[in-house]
Amino acid sequence: MLAYLKAQYNFRVPSQVSWLGTGIDTVRTFRNIHSTALKQTKTDLLDYVSGEYHLNGQDIFKIAPDLSEERITDPVVKSQLQAKFARFKQKNNLISSKGKLIPDSLFMHYSPQQ
């Protein structure tokens, strides 16, 4: 919401925040410039969406502009998604176990680059 307010109304936002993510995309046509994990239940963390791809367990889907999905087989895309998902889980576990939130910018600055 803050990204929208900043883009549309020049709303002032803090330069550092303690949540993961970069805000919503405000373009009117479909695109996905974000990556995020999705939970189907409170214990199942099996889904990861990045760009136009959706990793569900071991399956990969390509997301169409109408948000339908088509299962694909692409070992390179699968490997990239799995690596991104592993980094997300690493950050999530760190935050969950330590109980402290830090801005992504600080995490990236002081953690080994992937």
Side-chain angles (χ1 to χ4, degrees):
M1 191 58 153
L2 289 176
Y4 172 77
L5 292 171
K6 179 181 178 184
Q8 296 297 315
Y9 300 102
N10 204 25
F11 191 79
R12 291 186 337 162
V13 297
S15 60
Q16 294 184 348
V17 295
S18 59
W19 57 76
L20 298 175
T22 55
I24 59 174
D25 187 4
T26 58
V27 296
R28 294 179 183 255
T29 57
F30 173 76
R31 69 176 182 176
N32 180 23
I33 59 173
H34 301 291
S35 297
T36 191
L38 303 171
K39 288 184 103 174
Q40 293 186 20
T41 69
K42 69 178 186 176
T43 58
D44 290 334
L45 188 58
L46 303 173
D47 294 276
Y48 189 76
V49 176
S50 181
E52 60 187 355
Y53 297 102
H54 171 203
L55 176 67
N56 173 255
Q58 295 298 313
D59 296 322
I60 309 165
F61 299 88
K62 187 166 185 178
I63 305 168
D66 67 356
L67 301 182
S68 64
E69 294 184 317
E70 178 182 344
R71 182 176 280 140
I72 64 167
T73 303
D74 186 328
V76 173
V77 170
K78 183 176 185 177
S79 178
Q80 291 171 343
L81 288 172
Q82 288 173 327
K84 287 181 179 182
F85 194 21
R87 284 192 300 275
F88 172 87
K89 287 193 250 184
Q90 175 189 22
K91 288 196 303 186
N92 192 53
N93 288 337
L94 178 66
I95 290 167
S96 297
S97 66
K98 302 286 183 182
K100 296 180 181 178
L101 296 177
I102 60 171
D104 272 353
S105 58
L106 288 178
F107 181 84
M108 294 308 295
H109 182 73
Y110 292 105
S111 69
Q113 296 297 314
Q114 303 292 327

